[in-house]
Amino acid sequence: MTQIITVTNQKGGVGKTTTAAALVCGLSQRGARVLGVDLDPQGNLGFNLGLDIGSGSTVYDVLKGTCTIEDAIQSTEYGDVLPSDIMLSAAEVEFTVPRREFMLDQQLSAVRSRYDFVIIDTPPALNILTVNAYVASSGLIVPMEAEVLSLVGVTQLQETIETVRDSFNPHLKVIGILINKYNGRLTLSKDILELAQDVAEQLGSRVFQAKIHRGVGVAMAPAHGQTVLTYQPDSRPAQDFQEIVDAVAGERFPRPKQTFRQKYISKFFN
Ligand SMILES: Nc1ncnc2c1ncn2[C@@H]1O[C@H](COP(=O)(O)OP(=O)(O)OP(=O)(O)O)[C@@H](O)[C@H]1O
Ligand SMILES: [Mg+2]
């Protein structure tokens, strides 16, 4: 069965695209068939996965009905991607068809069975694009930035989730809150964990045990068309993301065995 997961938070810069790209890459590394869907007009997911941006059709053309989803999907070394571009920013005013909340769900139905996972990246907003992602998904992952974690905005997010559940998709769950840009050395961290628990409780969910540590490799990887999982596989954030991939992949797609060298490096140099 295909699992469709949306990475969401209406706050900008918390690590949505980084997380979505890491999931696409990490799940592909384990042999899963993965499609990454970029629903953000900023178009960063394709870039983070090494796609040549600006060539070919996008999710905008697919939602508009001027191109089939099969024709717009591009393959990368790390999985397939349905890219986006700035045209998608017109969605709110342009897509006024009846049942416009189901546009993505309907388009995905043509290709869903070809994938084990569909990972959707969303814009920093709660708008028609986010709602389309929630309607098509079974689960949400909500990354939050450790140092500025707060309850501000959580009520809005909760209301959007509830509206989607009540009106369009009763199966929608929040899989977990993902703490990102974590610095275990700061004394703040205990408060952060408590706040994250409060956020999770409000969303009827939990906090992922693994936290993503801050690391320069995460920010540098996209410039090399990679995620940190392949750019610096032995780094702390890469190991953290692999734990999140473990949680998502479950026993269906176990982690490939580490070599002795990898084990040695991650044990002594992190
Ligand atoms: N764990 C981390 N360590 C260091 N830098 C990180 C980490 N996670 C994300 N970043 C950096 O923070 C910035 C924002 O991350 P990202 O683009 O993933 O956030 P976003 O939520 O998708 O942003 P937007 O809301 O604009 O779409 C990027 O430059 C990214 O490389
Ligand atoms: Mg983003």
Side-chain angles (χ1 to χ4, degrees), residues 1-7 19-29 31-39 45-46 49 51 57-59 62 68-84 104-122 136-137 248 253:
M1 216 187 74
T2 314
Q3 207 181 333
I4 304 186
I5 297 174
T6 287
V7 185
T19 302
L23 283 171
V24 171
C25 175
L27 289 164
S28 293
Q29 282 180 326
R33 297 164 304 162
V34 191
L35 172 65
V37 175
D38 193 353
L39 264 199
L45 183 68
L49 288 164
L51 211 65
S57 304
T58 68
V59 66
V62 173
T68 66
I69 186 164
E70 286 95 339
D71 285 343
I73 289 175
Q74 297 191 40
S75 291
T76 78
E77 212 179 311
Y78 312 107
D80 286 356
V81 183
L82 177 55
S84 166
L104 180 68
D105 188 56
Q106 274 163 6
Q107 294 295 341
L108 282 177
S109 66
V111 293
R112 192 179 316 222
S113 62
R114 295 181 203 168
Y115 297 100
D116 299 302
F117 294 94
V118 176
I119 306 294
I120 307 174
D121 185 25
T122 52
S137 299
V248 169
F253 297 99

Side-chain angles (χ1 to χ4, degrees), residues 16-17 40 42 44 121-122:
K16 293 180 288 296
T17 305
D40 185 351
Q42 293 177 97
N44 292 337
D121 185 25
T122 52

Side-chain angles (χ1 to χ4, degrees), residues 35 52 55-56 69 81 83 86 155 175 190 196 204 223-224 247 249 252 264:
L35 172 65
D52 184 11
S55 67
I69 186 164
V81 183
I86 194 68
T155 306
I175 301 171
K190 197 164 155 267
H224 300 267
R252 251 170 98 205
Y264 176 83

Side-chain angles (χ1 to χ4, degrees), residues 110-265:
V111 293
R112 192 179 316 222
S113 62
R114 295 181 203 168
Y115 297 100
D116 299 302
F117 294 94
V118 176
I119 306 294
I120 307 174
D121 185 25
T122 52
L126 293 169
N127 57 19
I128 189 63
L129 295 169
T130 340
V131 168
N132 263 270
Y134 291 8
V135 170
S137 299
S138 57
L140 306 178
I141 291 179
V142 184
M144 301 194 116
E145 197 172 328
E147 278 152 45
V148 290
L149 217 153
S150 82
L151 281 165
V152 176
V154 176
T155 306
Q156 263 175 308
L157 181 62
Q158 185 191 12
E159 279 169 8
T160 309
I161 294 169
E162 275 164 15
T163 305
V164 170
R165 255 189 217 134
D166 292 346
S167 311
F168 312 114
N169 177 9
H171 307 294
L172 184 65
K173 284 200 189 73
V174 181
I175 301 171
I177 306 300
L178 177 62
I179 299 182
N180 186 25
K181 304 192 188 177
Y182 186 67
N183 179 352
R185 278 178 287 252
L186 291 182
T187 48
L188 278 183
S189 35
K190 197 164 155 267
D191 300 345
I192 286 169
L193 289 182
E194 276 170 16
L195 253 177
Q197 299 287 1
D198 291 347
V199 171
E201 212 165 284
Q202 196 168 333
L203 297 176
S205 188
R206 66 184 178 109
V207 181
F208 282 105
Q209 187 115 37
K211 293 154 199 70
I212 313 299
H213 284 73
R214 189 183 278 278
V216 283
V218 179
M220 284 161 65
H224 300 267
Q226 295 186 50
T227 74
V228 73
L229 298 194
T230 54
Y231 182 64
Q232 282 185 355
D234 301 322
S235 65
R236 185 69 202 252
Q239 296 297 321
D240 299 335
F241 271 125
Q242 289 290 5
E243 284 187 40
I244 301 299
V245 180
D246 287 341
V248 169
E251 286 166 11
R252 251 170 98 205
F253 297 99
R255 202 190 280 216
K257 294 256 178 299
Q258 272 192 327
T259 60
F260 173 76
R261 182 183 157 273
Q262 284 171 330
K263 261 194 196 152
Y264 176 83
I265 291 176

